[in-house]
Amino acid sequence: MYWQKKEECRPRAELEKLQLARLKNTLTRVATNVPFYRNQFHKLGLNPENIKSLEDIRKYPFTLKQDLRNNYPYGLFAVPLRDVVRLHSSSGTTGNATVVGYSREDIITWSNLVARILCGAGLTPNDVIQIAFGYGLFTGGFGLHYGAERLGASVIPVSAGNTRRQIQIMQDFKTTALVCTPSYALKLADTMMDMGINPNGLSLRFGLFGAEPWSEEMRQEINERLGIKASDNYGLSEVMGPGVAGECEEFHGQHINEDHFLVEILNPKTLEPVKPGDIGEVVITTLTKEAFPMIRYRTRDLTRMITEPCPCGRTFHRLDRFVGRSDDMLIIRGVNVFPLQVESAIFRIDGTQPHYQIIVDRKDNQDTCTVKVEVSESYFFDEMRKQRTFIDGIQKSLAAELGLSIDVKLVEERSLERFEGKAKRVIDNRIL
Ligand code: DLL
């Protein structure tokens, strides 16, 4: 077992004291070692010595993705390169790459925090963990790998792709836990069906999925199809990679590793804290990172904080399931739409497959939106009337969820693209 009970169940008052000491230390270190932060703090007349409470963080400036780009590659490092033992990079879908670095101590912390999350999800050293995240500059593969080794499990570093081989290995090596994106878990389930393999005949029991938003309905679907217990975990390269937060076996929100990260939930417009329990943007300050500390990083990820005590005993607050990213939000005819809302609405209808694509366009100055939904063959009815009723059902579910009427197009099973990493569900022709 890798249950860091003392750290994970600290009384809140003690935890906050520790956070404050670590915050002060981090701010002092960046003010000393990173000219970018030093200049900003200087301009605002901020001296980390004056930090008296956790709320004082609000006086400090935010860090944006653009700041990482402007300081490419090593401008935000707080230690000399000789003390950096690992580099990762996020290519991002827009703009230049960004680079993040880890000291020897950072790698140890990272492994510990990921091990915590694996343990929290129910894994033990007896598990055989198949890591189907890409190994490379992406933090998913190596991050989960080191954590799984730290847990003491048997790790299969199969990396992403080659789906049939993944399944062969799962069978032969008696994999008990699968680690990948939720969308890839579904692709694996499809391919198992093609290969005539019944997931219930495998040793698989757990799935640890993350790196992209997914709905509760998607979790049910994966659990049923693979016969596993799927849990959610969250992280991002800029603040570490996986290991920031993860679900315990209550499967209700992800405990934040708060002894290492200070999390604020802010209104993305006013940048003031939201009311407790409201949805806002997650803003993270690292508390222990040596090589690449981050001060108030604006993640663009939207969710709410759950502060009620968790039956598991951990005192760390939880992040509720993510709504999406503010930059993934679509505005269709003036209505805000998150791709995940579409996912939830579709999954509620019997007969749809968990694969969809959202296509947005503009015709005659009017936004149009069509959702392509895969359905199994038996749902292509010969009778027009039946077909219409089925489509109407999906449209109604979407309208109820979104407050917007959008077109639905049924497509054949397996006709939409499948993903080995993060899924891409939206094609917005308005911005092409
Ligand atoms: O995706 C780190 C990671 C790897 C997390 C493996 C979990 C498992 P990036 O490539 O930098 O890092 O992408 C980070 O992915 O800001 C979120 O928008 C999204 N994301 C990550 N985990 C979740 C999640 C990794 N559980 C970006 N739910 C983040 C929703 C997630 N979105």
Side-chain angles (χ1 to χ4, degrees), residues 29-44:
R29 265 186 315 109
V30 298
T32 316
N33 299 330
V34 186
F36 166 80
Y37 288 115
R38 181 164 56 241
N39 295 339
Q40 281 201 320
F41 296 178
H42 183 72
K43 265 191 235 149
L44 295 166

Side-chain angles (χ1 to χ4, degrees), residues 65-103:
K65 182 96 177 172
Q66 191 57 42
D67 295 317
L68 272 71
R69 294 200 178 113
N70 294 347
N71 288 284
Y72 178 87
Y74 299 140
L76 295 182
F77 283 25
V79 300
L81 216 47
R82 65 166 184 278
D83 293 334
V84 170
V85 300
R86 176 97 65 82
L87 296 163
H88 280 284
S89 167
S90 114
S91 57
T93 39
T94 51
N96 300 328
T98 53
V99 178
V100 297
Y102 304 77
S103 68

Side-chain angles (χ1 to χ4, degrees), residues 8-9 12 37 80 82 100 114-115 183 202 261 307 311 329 375 403:
E8 296 179 66
C9 300
R12 292 286 312 174
Y37 288 115
R82 65 166 184 278
V100 297
V114 174
S183 42
L202 302 173
F261 304 99
T307 53
M329 189 185 78
V375 288

Side-chain angles (χ1 to χ4, degrees), residues 317-335:
H317 288 159
R318 287 169 280 170
L319 294 176
D320 204 351
R321 191 167 277 285
F322 283 84
V323 176
R325 293 177 56 79
S326 52
D327 33 18
D328 283 350
M329 189 185 78
L330 296 162
I331 303 182
I332 302 170
R333 298 198 288 277
V335 179

